[in-house]
Amino acid sequence: MITSFAPGRAELLGNHTDYNAGLVLSIAVDRGVRLTGTARADGKLLFRSRELGQAYEGSLDALAPSAEHPWANYLLGVFDEFRRRGLAIGGAELEIASNLPLGAGLSSSAALETSTAFWIQQAFGHALPPLELARIGQASEHRFVGVMCGLLDQISSIFGKAGHATFIDCRSFEVRNLPIPANAKFVIANSGVKHSLVASEYNQRRAACEAAAQAFGVPFLRDVDSRRLEAEGGALPPDVLKRARHIVGENERVAEAAGLLARGEAAAFGQLMFASHESSRVNFENSCPELDRLVEAARGTPGCLGARLSGGGFGGATINLVEAGAEAGLIAALEAAVPGTACLVTSAADGARIEA
Ligand code: GLA
């Protein structure tokens, strides 16, 4: 019996920067997905989701996305990626248990992919570099789920460290863990709003960023700074210019925020979170009225240092940076601002691992 565990993540700062070869700060949260099971020699794939009360049956020889059990695709895609890399694997019987709320902006999808990748490599005796495991999760999401995501979610789930933020340079893939000030806590507020077109909106934003980079003659928006953007961006279609403004601004904010964290300046860090949200609202247009109300409510709450949407956007969750002791007041304010909002307090936790 092998058990793997991978946590969810929260994006602290750096929105949609990952696929622009940019900078991002995240944490692994203290909840995640646990897979327990045994390898099978007959190539069968049997998955059971404890929370959904559903079972999937398939086989390694017929790996294809399942329309009937979309949740199984997060595992199937990972099995497929090991095979595409020519890595020998067998079948598996797995039970999935998760204490991560689904669709709450904590990337339960990457946690499931990462847990699967850790489980497979342990079961079939591989030892891939952690970054390669993250790439397997990302590629499986591209092929089996259809979201052209970057690497933020998977890297955060793998490289997270208790009490630390994870700083990721998505060009060099340098990953550093920076200590979080001891009295800073995180509240995740899940608005419960889920827009049906998230995948296509996400992919459209990515395409706009790529178009902007191309117009500047650079491989990625990471290569453009705000001075150049404002001096030369006038030739871009107005929407594309706004998308680029968000990415360029986010990269600059993350660079500044990493320095603030190193100096323990939580209040100034929080101001950058508010600025990030404002840019999502105005430039990237990946917020929604409910998330805007949550951020406004946070701004007016004593002890709340910063708030912004976390993750892809178009619904989902906000992350709030709050002084220890002010969590309950903040949660009450958020739940009053957007009825149906579900809040949880998390600290920064350790990344994925084999448990047994
Ligand atoms: C989703 C994607 C990530 C990243 C964020 C936005 O979580 O999976 O790769 O692009 O959105 O920063």
Side-chain angles (χ1 to χ4, degrees), residues 9 11 14-19 141 149-153 202 311-312:
R9 67 94 189 93
E11 175 193 289
N15 186 245
H16 287 253
T17 49
D18 59 353
Y19 56 78
E141 184 133 348
C149 63
L151 275 162
L152 158 68
D153 306 339
Y202 183 96

Side-chain angles (χ1 to χ4, degrees), residues 175-267:
V175 177
R176 270 189 286 147
N177 290 114
L178 306 174
I180 293 168
N183 68 339
K185 303 283 168 219
F186 299 102
V187 172
I188 312 290
N190 177 15
S191 66
V193 176
K194 199 168 167 29
H195 291 192
S196 55
L197 295 175
V198 175
S200 67
E201 293 274 14
Y202 183 96
N203 294 346
Q204 280 168 24
R205 292 299 185 279
R206 181 168 182 153
C209 292
E210 286 164 1
Q214 202 177 6
F216 279 103
V218 295
F220 296 104
L221 277 178
R222 168 70 179 277
D223 300 300
V224 178
D225 62 16
S226 49
R227 200 176 317 152
R228 180 165 180 213
L229 183 76
E230 297 311 330
E232 300 172 27
L236 295 178
D239 272 7
V240 175
L241 175 59
K242 285 202 290 182
R243 308 305 182 235
R245 201 172 264 147
H246 180 62
I247 303 304
V248 169
E250 286 292 273
N251 280 332
E252 293 177 352
R253 279 185 282 277
V254 174
E256 187 183 347
L260 293 172
L261 259 192
R263 296 192 295 276
E265 293 182 37

Side-chain angles (χ1 to χ4, degrees), residues 122-138:
Q122 179 74 11
F124 302 110
H126 301 294
L128 301 175
L131 186 60
E132 188 58 16
L133 292 174
R135 288 191 191 283
I136 283 177
Q138 178 196 33

Side-chain angles (χ1 to χ4, degrees), residues 61-245:
D61 300 331
L63 277 173
S66 162
E68 197 189 341
H69 296 299
W71 55 270
N73 294 332
Y74 297 101
L75 300 97
L76 294 171
V78 176
F79 277 89
D80 188 52
E81 286 304 318
F82 272 81
R83 288 202 118 184
R84 283 174 181 271
R85 285 163 172 73
L87 299 161
I89 57 171
E93 179 163 359
L94 295 172
E95 178 164 84
I96 310 161
S98 171
N99 61 357
L100 262 181
L102 296 179
L106 294 172
S107 206
S108 52
S109 49
L112 181 48
E113 291 153 8
T114 302
S115 201
T116 306
F118 272 63
W119 192 93
I120 293 175
Q121 86 152 350
Q122 179 74 11
F124 302 110
H126 301 294
L128 301 175
L131 186 60
E132 188 58 16
L133 292 174
R135 288 191 191 283
I136 283 177
Q138 178 196 33
S140 96
E141 184 133 348
H142 289 185
R143 287 209 174 84
F144 272 62
V145 184
V147 178
M148 297 307 289
C149 63
L151 275 162
L152 158 68
D153 306 339
Q154 292 81 7
I155 289 184
S156 308
S157 180
I158 293 174
F159 289 85
K161 184 172 170 197
H164 291 70
T166 305
F167 171 89
I168 310 163
D169 181 328
C170 296
R171 164 163 283 157
S172 63
F173 288 104
E174 176 204 356
V175 177
R176 270 189 286 147
N177 290 114
L178 306 174
I180 293 168
N183 68 339
K185 303 283 168 219
F186 299 102
V187 172
I188 312 290
N190 177 15
S191 66
V193 176
K194 199 168 167 29
H195 291 192
S196 55
L197 295 175
V198 175
S200 67
E201 293 274 14
Y202 183 96
N203 294 346
Q204 280 168 24
R205 292 299 185 279
R206 181 168 182 153
C209 292
E210 286 164 1
Q214 202 177 6
F216 279 103
V218 295
F220 296 104
L221 277 178
R222 168 70 179 277
D223 300 300
V224 178
D225 62 16
S226 49
R227 200 176 317 152
R228 180 165 180 213
L229 183 76
E230 297 311 330
E232 300 172 27
L236 295 178
D239 272 7
V240 175
L241 175 59
K242 285 202 290 182
R243 308 305 182 235
R245 201 172 264 147

